[in-house]
Amino acid sequence: MMKLKPSFFFFFFFFTLLASLIAATENDLEEETATNPLIQETCRKANLNVQYGFCLAALQSAPDSLCADFLRELGLISVKLVRDNITSTRCYIKYLLRDIKAGPYVRLRLDDCLDIYSDSLLAVKRIIKDYQSKRYGYANMEMSSVLDAAMACEDGFEQEEGLMSPLMKRNDNLYMLSAMALTIINMLLF
Ligand SMILES: *[C@@H]1O[C@H](CO)[C@@H](O)[C@H](O)[C@H]1NC(C)=O
């Protein structure tokens, strides 16, 4: 009986691994090329206000952005990203407020942020209506207030020395997302 050398198995195993790696890479490439050129173009134009990478990742995260054909569609997608972010953070603030360990000062700041985020949620609902009726001027004004709100919430924490904002990352996200939505609204406005 002929005995196969271990090196044969090694070679076979290695080859199979290599082949599947190549296949995986090709699949990745396919995924990567499945981007919407309108998103890239829009993010390039928005680059002055929003980091290109952030813009790309945010818009591509929306399931319906791949088949958006018009800037107007991307604008609505970006406003909805703002809305979803606000909804999620508002819920997170409530969750933090239930935490018995939160000190009185943090609690006060979180209460403020909850108000701010609740107002912003109402604002973004109006923005969606304004946007859909092409009242871009109003949408612009209200979106600026959402952007300010993200900063206002964050500033509350920075007033106290050494206090870390538990919402920093989320406020940053909202700030950048609303700057992005604002930029697209302005492209439609002017
Ligand atoms: C909020 O926006 C950021 C940036 O796009 C994203 O990474 C994060 O997942 C968003 N969160 C929600 C709940 O939409």
Side-chain angles (χ1 to χ4, degrees):
M1 192 176 102
M2 195 185 101
K3 262 184 110 181
L4 290 171
K5 285 188 188 133
S7 63
F8 171 80
F9 285 106
F10 177 74
F11 179 75
F12 183 74
F13 174 76
F14 183 74
F15 183 77
T16 319
L17 186 73
L18 197 67
S20 59
L21 270 178
I22 290 171
T25 317
E26 274 174 358
N27 282 340
D28 276 355
L29 276 181
E30 248 169 55
E31 258 314 300
E32 227 173 299
T33 47
T35 52
N36 184 343
L38 180 64
I39 294 182
Q40 286 160 319
E41 189 197 321
T42 306
C43 288
R44 252 198 305 278
K45 283 187 196 158
N47 192 229
L48 211 60
N49 302 321
V50 196
Q51 267 189 354
Y52 180 74
F54 178 89
C55 176
L56 212 61
L59 287 178
Q60 282 174 347
S61 77
D64 48 348
S65 69
L66 189 58
C67 53
D69 293 324
F70 302 101
L71 184 61
R72 208 180 127 63
E73 292 173 77
L74 277 191
L76 187 58
I77 287 170
S78 76
V79 174
K80 286 180 175 171
L81 285 173
V82 171
R83 180 195 59 194
D84 295 346
N85 244 253
I86 291 174
T87 306
S88 146
T89 300
R90 187 169 169 270
C91 172
Y92 183 65
I93 297 172
K94 286 184 181 173
Y95 164 82
L96 289 178
L97 279 168
R98 280 199 297 269
D99 184 354
I100 203 86
K101 289 191 298 293
Y105 186 80
V106 171
R107 210 169 267 282
L108 215 59
R109 297 281 73 93
L110 287 175
D111 273 332
D112 282 350
C113 287
L114 185 59
D115 285 345
I116 290 172
Y117 269 82
S118 300
D119 288 347
S120 296
L121 188 58
L122 293 176
V124 84
K125 284 177 179 167
R126 285 192 301 267
I127 293 172
I128 290 176
K129 287 203 185 111
D130 284 334
Y131 188 92
Q132 282 171 333
S133 340
K134 302 196 178 174
R135 291 191 294 265
Y136 299 128
Y138 285 109
N140 167 309
M141 265 169 16
E142 297 247 54
M143 192 51 90
S144 311
S145 78
V146 171
L147 187 140
D148 290 340
M151 273 198 294
C153 166
E154 192 54 34
D155 284 350
F157 289 98
E158 275 165 17
Q159 279 162 17
E160 187 84 335
E161 191 100 20
L163 184 68
M164 271 290 285
S165 161
L167 300 172
M168 191 196 287
K169 183 103 191 61
R170 285 163 178 269
N171 285 331
D172 271 359
N173 272 337
L174 177 59
Y175 181 85
M176 290 188 287
L177 281 180
S178 47
M180 186 175 85
L182 196 55
T183 306
I184 298 181
I185 291 170
N186 284 343
M187 288 177 188
L188 293 161
L189 187 59
F190 300 114

